[in-house]
Amino acid sequence: MKAKLKGVYLVLDPAEGFEALEQRLLNILKGGIGALQIWDHWRPDQDKPGFLYQLMAVTRGVPLFVNNHLELACLPGIDGVHFDREEDLPNPECTFNKMIGLTVNAPADWKALRKRGVDYVSFCAMYPSSSVDTCALVSPDVVREACRHFEGSVFASGGITLENAGEVAGLGVSGIALISALLSAEDPLETTKKFNQIISKP
């Protein structure tokens, strides 16, 4: 039985390089996150497996997801893959047995997605954001519908801040996906703790 994800879901830009990210990441990890995704934004000459193994050395126990690259998700120690488009999901006969996530921004056949192996969905975007400028804004009603009918985890992302995180949590989501709100925070540790406090309120 696959574990159900919840809490703060951090998305990293690997093009920054591990050394540039390390200290901020360590502080965010101390604050507590439920999952981590490596965004599909690599430098042309980047050693992808090497970057992932550096991450694994410091993220012990935190589920790790690779964005769009099924072959990287098959590496030992990687927990799953996150796809940006439904058409990229593995074929039903695929033997991939790790966790699968999918970005969504509209109503979907939630039961069909579960049958196709999707363990969690992440809505993009809740609010305008420079880091998710390719996403259309999502209606809160669609998020509520997914929370009621999708049997996996439901995350929300895009423009989420400490000021509006409570509104998002009130929709019933399993957690929130964050990039700049944590990585650009003046104090990543305390900011992560604050987000956790907000989304864990009943």
Side-chain angles (χ1 to χ4, degrees), residues 99-200:
M99 297 186 77
I100 296 175
L102 178 67
T103 297
V104 294
N105 61 12
D109 186 334
W110 306 115
K111 290 184 179 179
L113 288 182
R114 281 297 280 164
K115 288 180 179 178
R116 294 193 64 186
V118 176
D119 298 286
Y120 74 89
V121 295
S122 182
F123 281 95
C124 174
M126 299 305 300
Y127 306 97
S129 168
S130 59
S131 58
V132 290
D133 57 4
T134 58
C135 296
L137 293 184
V138 176
S139 164
D141 289 338
V142 175
V143 179
R144 290 191 190 94
E145 176 193 315
C147 292
R148 288 195 299 266
H149 300 293
F150 183 66
E151 293 181 356
S153 300
V154 177
F155 288 88
S157 70
I160 298 174
T161 65
L162 289 172
E163 289 70 33
N164 60 32
E167 296 176 6
V168 178
L171 300 176
V173 295
S174 310
I176 53 177
L178 302 168
I179 305 176
S180 57
L182 294 182
L183 292 167
S184 298
E186 186 173 335
D187 188 335
L189 171 58
E190 288 304 315
T191 302
T192 305
K193 288 181 178 179
K194 288 177 182 178
F195 273 112
N196 277 309
Q197 290 169 357
I198 292 170
I199 61 179
S200 63

